[in-house]
Structures are given as C-alpha cells and as structure tokens.
C-alpha cells in the first residue's frame, strides 16, 4: 500500500511544487515531539487552540498528571505544541500566499479574454483557434488551482489526524478544533480559500464563452473551407476544456461539505 506522503508528492503539480504544504516536514515535527514526551496512558492535558494565538493549557490538568508532572514539564509541553502549531500555520500561509498569486493571474486572464463580450460571428479561422487556446489555458489554470486547494487541505487534515492519533492522550483531539475555529471566522484565510469563488467564476465564464465560440465555429465551417486538421484541433481543445470543467465540478462534494469535513 502506497503511503500517503508519497501519494501526496505524486499529486503535486510541478509548477506549484514549492508552495504545497510540506507534509514531510510536519511529520518530522511530530516525531520530534514524540521523542520528547513520556509515555502516559489514560491521562490527558486539555488545551485550547486558536490559529491566531499560541496554544494554551486550560487551568485544570488531569489529577494524576498534577501529581506526576512539574510546571516546568507543562511549559515544555506548551513549547512543543507551539512549535507544531507555528509550523502548521507557516505551511498553510505558504499555500495561501501562492493561492492569492494564482487568483490574481486568473483575474487578469478573465479581464483580458473573457469578461468583454466578444462578437465571435466576425472571427476568422486564426482568431477562432487563438480564442479556444486562450480559454483552454484559463480553465486549465483554474483546474490546477482547484486541485491545489483540495490536495493541500486534505494534507492538512491528514497531518492533524496523525498528530491526534499520536498525542490525544496528552492533549485531546486538536485537529477538529483547529479547523473549526478557522472556519468559524468568516474573515479567516482558510474560510476564504475554501469558498472557491475565483474558480467558480472562471468555470462559469469559460463554459459560457466556449459554448458560444463552438456554435460560431460550426457556422464558420459551413460557410468557409476549413481543413480537417483545423477541425480536429478545435474539437480536441473543445473536449479538453469540457473535461477540465467536469474535473472541477467533481470536487463539489468536498466543497459543499467542507464545514463538516473537519470531523474524523
């Protein structure tokens, strides 16, 4: 069975690879924490976690731990947890910063090629081929961004689940709390990322323009001599654009359910 870390690396888009959440680095941090914590069974330290603040132990510790551990040990636990939390936030922000860059590129493409109502009925063959290439490039970028968001958020959930599996006896399950507190804030970066607004907008505009372009191209072919090679090239690009749109729509379950997605 292929381990998730390798599967995650194989999913990554080469042009985006430096901006993915570093799952391996977060796993290494979990191992470091594991090496510093003693084995404690059936006891827990409860704490609150907030994406914008350091982790804090709640005032009441499990009674057996109060007897076993010193305040210095409690501080050590907090330090280890804060290291993980800070690294997690750092990796997420790297992903979010790249998302904003690609979002801007998509806006520019939409403004340049798609927002303006185009009179395709006056196009010649060269203009038809150029336009469908532009649409294909735009929807492909949206599809890549769609996959990038999905893969990074899945990796984030996986690493939190791994953390909880290792340390729930110490700290309870932090993963659902971390994600829920992010999604509960309508101004949070995670909430904004998971709205998929620019992807929806791009997909809708591309689909609308593609339909109109295809109808006008068919009309053009009826009234003009067009080589089979050009017809095949146009059709291949048309089909690939439709496939990219379908690929985006297949993430719909994840997108609709993301507010419940933190449960595991």
């Amino acid at each position: 069975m292929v381990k998730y870390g390798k599967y995650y690396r194989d999913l990554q888009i080469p042009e985006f690879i430096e901006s993915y959440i570093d799952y391996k680095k977060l796993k290494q941090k979990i191992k470091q924490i594991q090496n510093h914590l003693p084995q404690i069974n059936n006891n827990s330290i409860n704490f609150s976690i907030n994406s914008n603040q350091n982790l804090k132990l709640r005032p009441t510790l499990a009674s057996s731990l109060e007897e076993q551990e010193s305040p210095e040990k409690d501080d050590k636990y907090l330090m280890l947890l804060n290291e993980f939390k800070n690294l997690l936030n750092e990796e997420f922000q790297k992903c979010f910063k790249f998302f904003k860059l690609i979002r801007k590129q998509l806006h520019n493409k939409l403004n340049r090629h798609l927002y303006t109502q185009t009179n395709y009925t006056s196009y010649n063959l060269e203009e038809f081929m150029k336009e469908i290439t532009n649409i294909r490039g735009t929807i492909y970028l949206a599809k890549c961004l769609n996959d990038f968001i999905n893969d990074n958020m899945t990796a984030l959930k996986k690493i939190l689940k791994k953390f909880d599996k290792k340390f729930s006896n110490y700290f309870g399950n932090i993963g659902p709390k971390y994600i829920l507190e992010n999604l509960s804030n309508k101004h949070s970066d995670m909430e904004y990322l998971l709205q998929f607004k620019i992807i929806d907008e791009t997909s809708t505009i591309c689909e609308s323009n593609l339909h109109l372009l295809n109808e006008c191209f068919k009309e053009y072919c009826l009234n003009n001599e067009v080589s089979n090679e050009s017809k095949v090239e146009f059709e291949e690009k048309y089909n690939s654009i439709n496939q990219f749109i379908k690929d985006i729509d297949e993430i719909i379950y994840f997108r609709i359910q993301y507010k419940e997605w933190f449960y595991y």
Side-chain angles (χ1 to χ4, degrees):
M1 183 177 178
V2 178
K3 291 186 176 181
Y4 176 75
K6 183 179 185 309
Y7 173 73
Y8 176 58
R9 289 194 302 274
D10 291 343
L11 286 174
Q12 294 176 6
I13 301 162
E15 295 85 350
F16 295 5
I17 200 163
E18 297 298 325
S19 300
Y20 281 85
I21 288 173
D22 194 331
Y23 183 81
K24 182 178 180 180
K25 185 190 290 187
L26 288 163
K27 271 185 66 178
Q28 290 171 342
K29 176 57 67 176
I30 287 175
K31 188 173 182 180
Q32 290 175 9
I33 294 172
Q34 190 174 22
N35 291 338
H36 282 85
L37 291 178
Q39 295 298 316
I40 301 176
N41 296 315
N42 300 320
N43 292 304
S44 66
I45 303 172
N46 293 319
F47 70 95
S48 61
I49 179 169
N50 185 288
S51 60
N52 298 315
Q53 300 175 355
N54 285 337
L55 301 170
K56 296 181 179 180
L57 288 174
R58 290 175 182 163
T60 303
L61 303 179
S63 58
S64 58
L65 275 178
E66 287 180 337
E67 296 172 0
Q68 295 174 16
E69 304 298 335
S70 65
E72 290 78 11
K73 279 288 183 69
D74 295 344
D75 291 341
K76 182 180 179 181
Y77 295 158
L78 280 174
M79 179 188 70
L80 293 170
L81 283 166
N82 282 327
E83 286 177 3
F84 178 77
K85 174 261 184 182
N86 291 336
L87 181 58
L88 188 66
N89 285 341
E90 179 183 312
E91 288 298 314
F92 176 79
Q93 283 302 316
K94 177 180 68 176
C95 162
F96 184 71
K97 183 178 179 180
F98 186 73
F99 159 77
K100 290 194 294 183
L101 175 66
I102 301 301
R103 181 196 61 185
K104 184 177 180 180
Q105 290 180 18
L106 280 172
H107 273 303
N108 290 339
K109 283 179 175 290
L110 293 178
N111 287 329
R112 191 183 312 121
H113 299 300
L114 301 175
Y115 277 139
T116 304
Q117 289 295 321
T118 304
N119 183 12
Y120 292 138
T121 57
S122 65
Y123 268 29
N124 59 34
L125 180 60
E126 182 181 355
E127 289 171 324
F128 275 116
M129 301 309 294
K130 183 178 180 180
E131 180 67 4
I132 197 166
T133 300
N134 287 337
I135 294 174
R136 187 184 184 280
T138 301
I139 195 63
Y140 176 70
L141 184 59
K143 191 260 184 190
C144 288
L145 184 59
N146 189 73
D147 293 345
F148 177 79
I149 295 171
N150 181 57
D151 295 340
N152 275 282
M153 295 307 294
T154 300
L156 183 138
K157 179 180 178 180
K158 290 277 189 182
I159 202 66
L160 285 169
K161 186 175 182 180
K162 183 176 286 290
F163 185 96
D164 287 344
K165 184 177 180 180
K166 296 286 186 183
F167 307 125
S168 61
N169 281 346
Y170 293 86
F171 313 114
N173 290 325
I174 76 164
K177 297 175 186 177
Y178 177 85
I179 297 169
L180 180 59
E181 288 185 10
N182 272 281
L183 296 183
S184 296
N185 178 2
K186 65 179 181 179
H187 300 297
S188 76
D189 292 341
M190 190 181 295
E191 172 74 18
Y192 184 79
L193 184 80
L194 287 169
Q195 288 175 0
F196 289 81
K197 283 185 176 179
I198 185 62
I199 296 170
D200 283 339
E201 188 176 12
T202 303
S203 179
T204 300
I205 293 173
C206 284
E207 189 172 18
S208 175
N209 280 266
L210 179 65
H211 175 74
L212 179 59
L213 184 69
N214 187 51
E215 292 301 312
C216 290
F217 181 72
K218 288 178 180 178
E219 185 68 25
Y220 178 86
C221 290
L222 290 174
N223 299 316
N224 297 272
E225 187 175 338
V226 179
S227 67
N228 286 333
E229 182 180 356
S230 294
K231 290 178 182 179
V232 169
E233 181 183 352
F234 187 93
E235 184 177 4
E236 286 177 348
K237 290 182 178 179
Y238 174 84
N239 290 336
S240 67
I241 292 168
N242 275 323
Q243 186 58 55
F244 290 148
I245 292 171
K246 289 179 182 177
D247 290 343
I248 289 172
D249 290 343
E250 284 180 0
I251 309 295
I252 193 67
Y253 177 79
F254 170 79
R255 295 166 62 182
I256 290 173
Q257 300 296 327
Y258 76 84
K259 288 195 174 181
E260 286 73 43
W261 158 85
F262 56 85
Y263 292 114
Y264 51 78

